[in-house]
Amino acid sequence: MPYDQLPVVLPETAAFTGTGESPLAGVPEFVNTTCPKCDGPARRETDTMDTFVDSSWYFFRYCDPRNEAAPFDPESASHWTPVDQYIGGDSLAVMHLIYTRFWTKVMRDLGLVSLTSQSNDC
């Protein structure tokens, strides 16, 4: 979506059916839309990210949870991150931290976060 058309507001009527399909796929008024480039009929993709993507950056949101204009303020994130220690189970140690590193580098490339440590620990 073009930046000036964001955010895309999700419908409140999506039914969680447990069929494995995204609940958004069952909401025609959300799925059927207009192409932002040609103004022709278009269909929104409803399966775009898995839960690892969602959980790969949530701790940055904690740095600025009331921000309504962006996921978080880069200055706030710079103050509170990077974290010195992250503890979790096997799935976190193997997959989640790999995704977190990737997502953090994407946000670094976008200018949202800095990867320099502010810790004075030795």
Side-chain angles (χ1 to χ4, degrees):
M1 292 300 297
Y3 190 78
D4 65 341
Q5 293 182 26
L6 295 176
V8 173
V9 179
L10 299 177
E12 294 184 20
T13 58
F16 292 88
T17 63
T19 62
E21 184 177 49
S22 169
L24 294 173
V27 184
E29 60 272 17
F30 177 78
V31 173
N32 302 313
T33 188
T34 304
C35 175
K37 291 184 180 178
C38 72
D39 289 327
R43 180 174 167 82
R44 282 197 176 103
E45 175 60 61
T46 58
D47 288 317
T48 59
M49 297 185 194
D50 72 4
T51 58
F52 277 116
V53 172
D54 299 334
S55 65
S56 293
W57 70 274
Y58 71 91
F59 48 91
F60 287 103
R61 179 66 177 171
Y62 286 159
C63 299
D64 190 16
R66 291 181 180 84
N67 192 328
E68 293 185 19
F72 53 86
D73 176 60
E75 203 169 301
S76 294
S78 179
H79 175 76
W80 293 105
T81 64
V83 295
D84 295 323
Q85 187 174 21
Y86 189 95
I87 299 172
D90 291 345
S91 65
L92 292 175
V94 178
M95 297 302 291
H96 178 71
L97 289 179
I98 292 171
Y99 291 131
T100 296
R101 288 179 181 125
F102 170 78
W103 198 251
T104 300
K105 289 182 181 204
V106 168
M107 291 190 298
R108 177 207 56 200
D109 292 350
L110 292 171
L112 295 173
V113 299
S114 170
L115 299 182
T116 57
S117 176
Q118 303 212 0
S119 174
N120 292 325
D121 298 341
C122 295

